[in-house]
Coordinates of all heavy atoms in Angstrom, one line a residue:
T34 N -178.2 -40.5 106.9 CA -179.2 -39.8 107.8 C -178.4 -39.1 108.9 O -178.7 -38.0 109.2 CB -180.3 -40.8 108.3 OG1 -180.9 -41.3 107.2 CG2 -181.3 -40.0 109.2
V35 N -177.6 -39.9 109.6 CA -176.8 -39.3 110.7 C -175.9 -38.2 110.2 O -175.9 -37.1 110.8 CB -175.9 -40.4 111.3 CG1 -174.8 -39.8 112.2 CG2 -176.7 -41.5 112.0
Q36 N -175.3 -38.3 109.0 CA -174.5 -37.2 108.5 C -175.3 -36.0 108.2 O -174.9 -34.9 108.5 CB -173.8 -37.7 107.2 CG -172.9 -36.7 106.6 CD -172.2 -37.2 105.3 OE1 -172.7 -38.1 104.7 NE2 -171.1 -36.5 105.0
R37 N -176.5 -36.2 107.7 CA -177.4 -35.0 107.4 C -177.9 -34.3 108.7 O -177.9 -33.1 108.7 CB -178.7 -35.5 106.6 CG -179.6 -34.4 106.2 CD -179.0 -33.5 105.2 NE -180.0 -32.5 104.9 CZ -179.7 -31.2 104.7 NH1 -178.5 -30.8 104.8 NH2 -180.6 -30.3 104.5
V38 N -178.2 -35.1 109.7 CA -178.6 -34.5 111.0 C -177.5 -33.7 111.5 O -177.7 -32.6 112.0 CB -179.1 -35.6 112.0 CG1 -179.3 -35.0 113.4 CG2 -180.4 -36.2 111.5
C39 N -176.2 -34.2 111.4 CA -175.1 -33.5 111.9 C -174.9 -32.2 111.2 O -174.6 -31.2 111.8 CB -173.8 -34.4 111.8 SG -173.8 -35.8 112.9
E40 N -175.0 -32.2 109.8 CA -174.8 -31.0 109.0 C -175.8 -30.0 109.4 O -175.5 -28.8 109.5 CB -175.0 -31.4 107.5 CG -173.8 -32.2 107.0 CD -174.1 -32.7 105.6 OE1 -175.2 -32.4 105.0 OE2 -173.2 -33.4 105.0
V41 N -177.1 -30.4 109.5 CA -178.2 -29.4 109.7 C -178.1 -28.8 111.1 O -178.3 -27.6 111.3 CB -179.5 -30.0 109.5 CG1 -180.7 -29.1 109.9 CG2 -179.7 -30.4 108.0
T42 N -177.8 -29.6 112.1 CA -177.9 -29.2 113.5 C -176.6 -28.8 114.1 O -176.5 -28.1 115.2 CB -178.5 -30.3 114.4 OG1 -177.7 -31.4 114.4 CG2 -179.9 -30.6 113.9
G43 N -175.5 -29.3 113.6 CA -174.2 -29.0 114.2 C -173.8 -29.9 115.4 O -172.9 -29.6 116.1
V44 N -174.5 -31.0 115.6 CA -174.3 -31.9 116.7 C -173.3 -33.0 116.3 O -173.0 -33.2 115.1 CB -175.6 -32.5 117.3 CG1 -176.5 -31.5 117.7 CG2 -176.2 -33.5 116.3
T45 N -172.8 -33.7 117.3 CA -171.9 -34.8 117.1 C -172.6 -36.0 116.5 O -173.9 -36.0 116.6 CB -171.2 -35.2 118.3 OG1 -172.1 -35.7 119.3 CG2 -170.4 -34.0 119.0
E46 N -171.9 -36.9 116.0 CA -172.6 -38.1 115.5 C -173.3 -38.9 116.6 O -174.4 -39.4 116.4 CB -171.6 -39.1 114.8 CG -171.2 -38.7 113.4 CD -170.3 -39.7 112.7 OE1 -170.3 -40.9 113.1 OE2 -169.7 -39.4 111.7
A47 N -172.7 -38.9 117.8 CA -173.4 -39.6 118.9 C -174.7 -38.9 119.2 O -175.7 -39.6 119.5 CB -172.5 -39.5 120.1
H48 N -174.8 -37.6 119.2 CA -176.0 -36.9 119.5 C -177.0 -37.2 118.4 O -178.2 -37.3 118.6 CB -175.8 -35.4 119.6 CG -175.2 -35.0 120.9 ND1 -174.2 -34.1 121.0 CD2 -175.4 -35.5 122.2 CE1 -173.9 -34.0 122.3 NE2 -174.6 -34.8 123.0
A49 N -176.6 -37.2 117.1 CA -177.5 -37.5 116.0 C -178.1 -38.8 116.1 O -179.3 -39.1 115.9 CB -176.7 -37.3 114.7
V50 N -177.2 -39.8 116.4 CA -177.7 -41.2 116.6 C -178.7 -41.3 117.7 O -179.8 -41.9 117.6 CB -176.5 -42.2 116.8 CG1 -177.0 -43.6 117.2 CG2 -175.7 -42.3 115.6
A51 N -178.4 -40.6 118.8 CA -179.4 -40.7 120.0 C -180.7 -40.0 119.6 O -181.8 -40.5 120.0 CB -178.8 -40.0 121.2
A52 N -180.7 -38.9 118.9 CA -181.9 -38.2 118.5 C -182.7 -39.1 117.5 O -183.9 -39.2 117.7 CB -181.6 -36.9 117.9
L53 N -182.0 -39.7 116.6 CA -182.7 -40.6 115.6 C -183.4 -41.8 116.4 O -184.5 -42.2 116.0 CB -181.8 -41.1 114.5 CG -181.4 -40.0 113.5 CD1 -180.2 -40.4 112.7 CD2 -182.6 -39.7 112.6
A54 N -182.7 -42.3 117.4 CA -183.2 -43.4 118.1 C -184.5 -43.1 118.8 O -185.4 -43.8 118.9 CB -182.2 -44.0 119.1
T55 N -184.5 -41.8 119.4 CA -185.7 -41.4 120.1 C -186.8 -41.0 119.2 O -188.0 -40.8 119.6 CB -185.4 -40.3 121.1 OG1 -185.0 -39.1 120.4 CG2 -184.4 -40.7 122.1
C56 N -186.5 -40.8 117.9 CA -187.5 -40.4 116.9 C -187.8 -41.4 115.9 O -188.3 -41.1 114.8 CB -187.1 -39.1 116.2 SG -186.9 -37.7 117.3
D57 N -187.6 -42.7 116.2 CA -187.9 -43.8 115.3 C -187.3 -43.6 113.9 O -187.9 -43.9 112.9 CB -189.4 -44.1 115.2 CG -190.0 -44.5 116.5 OD1 -189.3 -45.3 117.2 OD2 -191.1 -44.1 116.8
D58 N -186.0 -43.1 113.9 CA -185.3 -42.9 112.6 C -185.9 -41.9 111.7 O -185.5 -41.9 110.5 CB -185.0 -44.2 111.9 CG -184.1 -45.2 112.7 OD1 -183.3 -44.7 113.4 OD2 -184.3 -46.4 112.6
D59 N -186.8 -41.1 112.1 CA -187.4 -40.0 111.3 C -186.5 -38.8 111.3 O -186.4 -38.1 112.3 CB -188.8 -39.7 111.8 CG -189.5 -38.7 110.9 OD1 -188.9 -37.6 110.6 OD2 -190.6 -38.9 110.4
I60 N -185.8 -38.5 110.2 CA -184.8 -37.4 110.1 C -185.4 -36.1 110.5 O -184.9 -35.3 111.2 CB -184.1 -37.4 108.8 CG1 -182.9 -36.4 108.8 CG2 -185.0 -37.1 107.6 CD1 -182.0 -36.5 107.6
H61 N -186.6 -35.8 110.0 CA -187.3 -34.5 110.2 C -187.6 -34.3 111.7 O -187.4 -33.3 112.3 CB -188.5 -34.3 109.4 CG -188.2 -34.4 107.9 ND1 -187.4 -33.5 107.2 CD2 -188.5 -35.4 107.0 CE1 -187.3 -33.9 106.0 NE2 -187.9 -35.0 105.8
Q62 N -188.1 -35.4 112.3 CA -188.4 -35.3 113.8 C -187.1 -35.2 114.6 O -187.1 -34.4 115.5 CB -189.2 -36.6 114.2 CG -190.6 -36.6 113.8 CD -191.3 -37.9 114.4 OE1 -190.7 -38.6 115.2 NE2 -192.5 -38.1 113.9
A63 N -186.1 -35.9 114.2 CA -184.8 -35.8 114.9 C -184.2 -34.4 114.8 O -183.8 -33.8 115.8 CB -183.8 -36.8 114.3
I64 N -184.3 -33.8 113.6 CA -183.7 -32.4 113.5 C -184.6 -31.5 114.3 O -184.0 -30.6 115.0 CB -183.7 -32.0 112.0 CG1 -182.6 -32.9 111.3 CG2 -183.5 -30.5 111.8 CD1 -182.6 -32.7 109.8
E65 N -185.9 -31.6 114.2 CA -186.7 -30.7 115.0 C -186.5 -30.8 116.5 O -186.4 -29.9 117.2 CB -188.2 -31.0 114.7 CG -189.2 -30.1 115.4 CD -189.1 -28.6 115.1 OE1 -188.6 -28.2 114.0 OE2 -189.6 -27.8 116.0
A66 N -186.3 -32.1 116.9 CA -186.1 -32.4 118.3 C -184.8 -31.8 118.8 O -184.6 -31.3 119.9 CB -186.1 -33.9 118.6
L67 N -183.8 -31.8 117.9 CA -182.4 -31.3 118.3 C -182.4 -29.8 118.3 O -181.8 -29.2 119.1 CB -181.4 -31.9 117.3 CG -181.0 -33.3 117.6 CD1 -180.2 -33.9 116.4 CD2 -180.2 -33.4 118.8

Side-chain angles (χ1 to χ4, degrees):
T34 302
V35 168
Q36 184 179 21
R37 181 70 181 136
V38 171
C39 291
E40 288 171 3
V41 171
T42 62
V44 299
T45 65
E46 282 189 17
H48 285 137
V50 169
L53 286 163
T55 62
C56 295
D57 296 323
D58 294 327
D59 184 308
I60 188 170
H61 301 293
Q62 284 182 9
I64 290 171
E65 180 64 22
L67 284 166

